Amino acid sequence: MRGAAIWVLMLALSVGAAAQTPPAAPPQASFWFDPTQLPTFTGTVERYLVNPAGETDALLFRQGPQVVFPPDIADAVRDAAPPGRTLVVWGIRARQAPVITMLAFAAAPDATPGVVDRFYWRLGGAARPDAARISASGAVRSPYFAPQGQLAGAVLEDGTVVILPPGGAEPFAALLRPGARLAAEGRGFEGEAGRALVADRLGEQPDALRPVPSPTTSGPR
């Protein structure tokens, strides 16, 4: 009986230890500088955004700015701040657009920050060649920016991301402003994480779309 009691005690202790296992540590990276010396931006996460390849690589603060980060840390960022929660971001803001490149993040100023292991300077996530065609329409929540601040598309009120080919957004700037009506068709991703497409047809209404010139057919610039 004594042996059985000891076995039950050991089992109880192991279960208790498993229940108290701390969450995984935030990702770390070795830079020659301390990213937490950079400017901080604090906001409430409104939603996470996917790109046309189905990767989560951006979020919108309820206060307005867009924050971009490498897709491979998306789970860690979401764990730190699900939608509706506050997130502290250390990073670099584009000079002429409200978009922030994340270099470190935390759920609170006094929490141990997670550090991004690489810079995410370019718009990523091109649609796959076999991606399905998607249609989207609605009011524009905000313009969508590349990490360096170039206008690249729009985010609709339902969270759909509409991206235009490189250099193709400026001619459609009036359709990409907040509150504008926007309809689009193109190839992209649609799933539980969200919806995003690279538009090849664009307009104010679904029945009045016009082709979006591709970089190879837009002529001299």
Side-chain angles (χ1 to χ4, degrees):
M1 291 294 293
R2 182 178 180 184
I6 292 175
W7 182 86
V8 170
L9 177 60
M10 292 177 64
L11 178 62
L13 290 174
S14 65
V15 170
Q20 299 175 11
T21 300
Q28 299 296 317
S30 298
F31 284 130
W32 56 271
F33 64 93
D34 179 3
T36 60
Q37 296 182 66
L38 294 167
T40 59
F41 306 87
T42 302
T44 303
V45 177
E46 178 178 304
R47 66 171 69 244
Y48 286 89
L49 304 175
V50 297
N51 60 37
E55 305 164 328
T56 300
D57 63 354
L59 64 85
L60 281 179
F61 274 149
R62 188 174 296 166
Q63 294 79 359
Q66 175 185 326
V67 181
V68 298
F69 47 83
D72 54 352
I73 68 161
D75 289 344
V77 178
R78 189 183 286 107
D79 287 346
R85 299 289 295 274
T86 298
L87 181 68
V88 181
V89 173
W90 289 265
I92 300 171
R93 187 186 188 279
R95 181 173 297 177
Q96 297 180 352
V99 56
I100 300 157
T101 297
M102 176 191 290
L103 293 178
F105 65 94
D110 57 350
T112 300
V115 179
V116 178
D117 62 359
R118 59 189 173 90
F119 296 101
Y120 198 61
W121 288 124
R122 304 292 181 185
L123 194 66
R128 297 184 175 91
D130 60 346
R133 289 195 64 81
I134 297 174
S135 299
S137 64
V140 173
R141 157 65 172 81
S142 66
Y144 185 83
F145 298 102
Q148 294 185 354
Q150 302 94 332
L151 181 63
V155 181
L156 302 185
E157 288 286 357
D158 67 358
T160 299
V161 177
V162 177
I163 296 177
L164 283 90
E170 289 299 337
F172 296 94
L175 295 177
L176 307 178
R177 69 185 189 280
R181 297 296 303 179
L182 180 67
E185 289 183 3
R187 297 191 181 278
F189 170 84
E190 185 172 17
E192 292 185 5
R195 186 166 62 157
L197 61 103
V198 178
D200 52 35
R201 300 180 69 217
L202 204 69
E204 292 187 38
Q205 301 295 334
D207 59 355
L209 302 180
R210 60 185 189 270
V212 175
S214 68
T216 58
T217 62
S218 57
R221 298 182 60 188

